[in-house]
Amino acid sequence: RTDPTWPTTWFAPNLTGEGAFTSVYSVMDHWGANHGSISYGHIGADLLTLASMLRIPVSMHNVSGDQIFRPRTWGMFGTESVESADFRACATFGPLYK
């Protein structure tokens, strides 16, 4: 936090033991500054779907693969790393709104 008057959110990430979610430190190490979508409840899969519809790439998440929905054309951009496919698809299709 760069300004002590800004709101602060404290949380404990769900660790999966894979990738950026191996430890709390690795989550914070991979997290981009001032970027995050945090909510109460289990709506992460819905936010990922909305982001793909609006063509906003998601760099990291810990939503399980069976809950993730992507448009069918996302499969053309890779199936191993859905985060990398997000960036390639969004770069190819461009923003939905300008």
Side-chain angles (χ1 to χ4, degrees):
R1 160 173 104 167
T2 56
D3 185 326
T5 64
W6 291 355
T8 302
T9 302
W10 300 99
F11 71 99
N14 292 328
L15 301 177
T16 61
E18 298 177 5
F21 294 93
T22 55
S23 70
V24 174
Y25 175 78
S26 66
V27 170
M28 296 311 295
D29 189 39
H30 287 88
W31 195 316
N34 297 326
H35 292 87
S37 180
I38 301 170
S39 175
Y40 294 103
H42 302 282
I43 63 166
D46 298 329
L47 293 175
L48 288 174
T49 300
L50 178 63
S52 66
M53 290 166 48
L54 295 174
R55 301 200 179 78
I56 301 169
V58 176
S59 62
M60 69 182 253
H61 63 81
N62 62 353
V63 176
S64 64
D66 61 335
Q67 295 180 345
I68 297 173
F69 172 79
R70 293 283 197 267
R72 183 67 239 133
T73 57
W74 254 233
M76 295 186 303
F77 298 97
T79 58
E80 285 298 313
S81 174
V82 292
E83 290 89 355
S84 295
D86 268 359
F87 281 90
R88 288 189 297 276
C90 291
T92 300
F93 295 128
L96 188 59
Y97 299 104
K98 291 184 181 186

